Amino acid sequence: MRYWLLKSEPDDISIEDLAGAPQQALAWTGIRNYQARNFLRDAASVGDLAFFYHSSCADIGIAGIVEIVSTPYPDPTQFDPGSRYFDPKATAEQPRWVSVDIRFVQQGGFVPLATLKAHPELEGMPLLAKGSRLSVSPVERAQWEFIRALMAETP
DNA sequence: GCCAACGTTGGC
DNA sequence: GCCAACGTTGGC
């Protein structure tokens, strides 16, 4: 059982979208970074929990919690020429990119990026590293619980 | 919209 | 294998 942080642009998929989806679950597609993919492919398991982070938007920060509810499988968008995530070098025999399914767990307790940055306890999180672009990153248990406490302060 | 930081590509 | 050029990410 591990903890993660998943970044999403809410214009693409927001925590509200996830909460409103059938079964409150969606395929988490479009990862096109090898390090992020490797985390998903090699270390993510069913039952893992993740902070759902909204990036590139008006309210940047942790917007909710989701659960990983599938094992990794080939991201179907890599094979779809009509998708913005199409990858001409991916083949069915040798897929490059993986997806997992995620399910809504909790919304509310929004924690802005500025708040995360303000707490020395969270130094070292990949998210807060200068120039970080990782869309999937691990969260240590102590940091997970610290952020959970921050979320609880903001219903 | 700007720009810094980063990852990838491709020529050599 | 190096490294410049380019495209993308993402906060501000």
Side-chain angles (χ1 to χ4, degrees):
Chain A
M1 161 75 193
R2 294 172 188 254
Y3 299 105
W4 304 97
L5 184 141
L6 306 181
K7 277 189 203 172
S8 180
E9 299 187 15
D11 287 348
D12 190 3
I13 297 180
S14 68
I15 191 76
E16 291 84 1
D17 294 336
L18 192 59
Q23 329 297 315
Q24 297 193 311
L26 287 172
W28 179 252
T29 61
I31 299 298
R32 293 294 180 272
N33 168 284
Y34 289 106
Q35 199 178 351
R37 178 205 65 183
N38 293 347
F39 281 132
L40 273 194
R41 188 189 59 189
D42 304 335
S45 321
V46 173
D48 286 359
L49 295 174
F51 292 127
F52 199 81
Y53 176 91
H54 285 177
S55 68
S56 298
C57 59
D59 295 312
I60 297 165
I62 291 174
I65 293 176
V66 304
E67 179 184 4
I68 292 174
V69 292
S70 81
T71 53
Y73 56 90
D75 180 344
T77 64
Q78 70 192 304
F79 308 123
D80 176 3
S83 168
R84 60 186 276 221
Y85 297 118
F86 177 63
D87 184 344
K89 294 180 180 167
T91 65
E93 294 73 28
Q94 299 226 307
R96 280 192 169 190
W97 308 109
V98 300
S99 297
V100 294
D101 294 339
I102 57 174
R103 185 165 61 207
F104 176 83
V105 172
Q106 173 187 324
Q107 183 180 357
F110 184 79
V111 182
L113 175 60
T115 300
L116 297 173
K117 285 180 174 173
H119 288 284
E121 293 88 342
L122 301 178
E123 280 175 16
M125 285 186 75
L127 174 75
L128 303 180
K130 185 168 187 161
S132 167
R133 298 167 56 172
L134 261 187
S135 52
V136 178
S137 60
V139 176
E140 292 171 15
R141 168 181 275 276
Q143 294 172 338
W144 176 272
E145 307 207 336
F146 187 86
I147 293 171
R148 288 297 307 268
L150 293 178
M151 294 175 86
E153 292 171 10
T154 323

